[in-house]
Each structure stands twice: as structure tokens, then as C-alpha cells.
Amino acid sequence: EDKVVQSPLSLVVHEGDTVTLNCSYEVTNFRSLLWYKQEKKAPTFLFMLTSSGIEKKSGRLSSILDKKELFSILNITATQTGDSAVYLCAVGSQGKVIFGPGTSLSVIP
Amino acid sequence: EPEVTQTPSHQVTQMGQEVILRCVPISNHLYFYWYRQILGQKVEFLVSFYNNEISEKSEIFDDQFSVERPDGSNFTLKIRSTKLEDSAMYFCASSEQGIGYTFGSGTRLTVV
């Protein structure tokens, strides 16, 4: 059965800290790995990764995929309170997307 | 920036009633999806739609559910005879090539 696992499930950090969120997967017909940020409503897109070893960066966020070890990490440096959200990892397979349970990140001042 | 539009944003319905959730995907996208998220739980895949037919569906997507693309722009999810446990946030998503996905803002369905 296809599955996506995220760790930790919950994390509380202070502003300015750096965090690493983990995602591992077992999915047949892998096509892409996606990271989303979910605050109140719909997930908002962060990154899409399809190739191993190529880091994607957007401001203080970065992500990388290892297709051999079947995992990805999402890094957030110099965290701010506005980074507080649930971060979802999802794997795109043929015809569907499988979501992980999310990591709930709380950044406290 | 192009976006996926969902209506209504919140729908309250009585148990046993039928509801139709509407979505307008991004215009040049070819792949369409419905997901749901029960409060406090993870996002769950329901169905994907490509070339005017269902390409994949989950075990959640039983005979109670159906999808339709009635015209060139709308993509609908119909839930027949709603149950209390159908209460959830329903997200529509679309994709140009079936790899990256853009989500709509969701419809919160409350069955009473």
C-alpha cells in the first residue's frame, strides 16, 4: 500500500531557529514529491521535486529529494511566527496524490 | 496568478440530501482531482479525472460519489444521500501535466 510518512508530527521552535522536516515514502509509479503549507484552509504550494539531489530554494525555505532512499527534507532557516502552519508532504503517483499526515510547526516569539 | 475556484465556500446540508460541489480548474489544465480533509485529519485523495473520464479513484469514492465535467470549465463533485461522516473540507485541484497540482480554497461541507 502506498504511504507517505512525515516526522516529526509536531514541532515547537523559537523565532530564528532552523528546522528540518522529514518525509519518507513508499509509492509505486512515483512521479513527483510536493511540499505544501497549510494554514487555515487550502494547502499552498511550496515545492515540487522530481529529480534526486537538486535543491530547490525559495527564500528561507529549501528542499531536496533522494529518490534512492525515498525521502525528502524541507528546511526552514531563521524561522518567523508566520511560518507557523502544517507542512504537508505529498507524493504524486499515476493518477493521484498521496498525502502524509503533516508536520505541525509552531514558531513562538 | 491563475487559480482554482471552488463554490460554495461553505455548505450546510441535512443528512440524506444530495450536494454538488463546484470547481473551476485553471483553464489550460487537463487533470482534475477531488480531495477531502476531515477536521484534524490528513488530506485524502478521492478521485482523478482526465480526458473526460475517471482515471483513478480511492476506496472512499464509492457509489455515493460522482464527478462530472458538464461543460468546458466546471468540474463537479456530487455526493448523494449525505451522511454525517461526509462532513469535511473538500478540495478541488488541477494540474497541467499530472505532476504539479494547484488546489482551490476548498468547500467546507457540514452535514447535520
Side-chain angles (χ1 to χ4, degrees):
Chain A
E1 185 183 333
D2 292 339
K3 64 179 179 181
V4 177
V5 177
Q6 291 185 247
S7 65
L9 293 180
S10 181
L11 189 56
V12 180
V13 300
H14 288 281
E15 265 190 316
D17 288 351
T18 292
V19 297
T20 298
L21 310 183
N22 304 293
C23 175
S24 62
Y25 62 91
E26 290 176 29
V27 175
T28 52
N29 298 311
F30 173 92
R31 298 192 76 188
S32 60
L33 187 140
L34 307 116
W35 283 98
Y36 288 90
K37 178 181 182 183
Q38 186 174 30
E39 292 175 271
K40 291 201 171 109
K41 271 197 158 185
T44 54
F45 175 79
L46 295 175
F47 297 109
M48 181 177 75
L49 304 153
T50 54
S51 302
S52 272
I54 299 172
E55 186 183 50
K56 293 223 172 174
K57 283 184 73 95
S58 176
R60 295 177 293 102
L61 277 66
S62 63
S63 183
I64 197 160
L65 171 67
D66 185 329
K67 286 167 75 173
K68 187 176 174 189
E69 300 297 328
L70 307 182
F71 79 88
S72 173
I73 59 172
L74 175 69
N75 278 320
I76 309 175
T77 58
T79 50
Q80 301 169 358
T81 53
D83 295 328
S84 296
V86 176
Y87 289 83
L88 301 172
C89 173
V91 174
S93 175
Q94 191 159 340
K96 63 184 178 184
V97 174
I98 302 111
F99 279 83
T103 293
S104 176
L105 174 66
S106 298
V107 182
I108 53 178
Chain B
E1 184 160 339
E3 56 182 33
V4 175
T5 306
Q6 287 187 245
T7 55
S9 56
H10 190 186
Q11 172 133 17
V12 181
T13 189
Q14 284 200 318
M15 195 167 56
Q17 296 296 303
E18 174 183 285
V19 295
I20 297 177
L21 310 183
R22 302 180 192 280
C23 170
V24 179
I26 293 173
S27 61
N28 64 331
H29 284 190
L30 302 176
Y31 298 80
F32 315 115
Y33 309 85
W34 282 102
Y35 293 84
R36 78 172 185 191
Q37 187 174 31
I38 296 170
L39 188 65
Q41 298 186 24
K42 69 176 184 178
V43 178
E44 300 173 291
F45 168 77
L46 292 177
V47 65
S48 59
F49 193 86
Y50 171 73
N51 202 25
N52 286 321
E53 60 183 24
I54 290 173
S55 50
E56 186 141 359
K57 59 184 181 180
S58 71
E59 59 276 5
I60 302 168
F61 193 88
D62 59 20
D63 292 343
Q64 185 195 7
F65 294 90
S66 61
V67 289
E68 202 173 44
R69 189 154 162 81
D71 52 43
S73 60
N74 288 285
F75 179 51
T76 61
L77 174 70
K78 183 189 289 186
I79 309 174
R80 284 181 281 274
S81 190
T82 48
K83 306 187 282 259
L84 294 176
E85 53 265 38
D86 294 327
S87 295
M89 195 76 162
Y90 287 81
F91 293 110
C92 173
S94 70
S95 171
E96 188 176 0
Q97 297 178 358
I99 301 177
Y101 310 84
T102 303
F103 281 81
S105 55
T107 293
R108 180 170 296 287
L109 175 66
T110 303
V111 182
V112 297

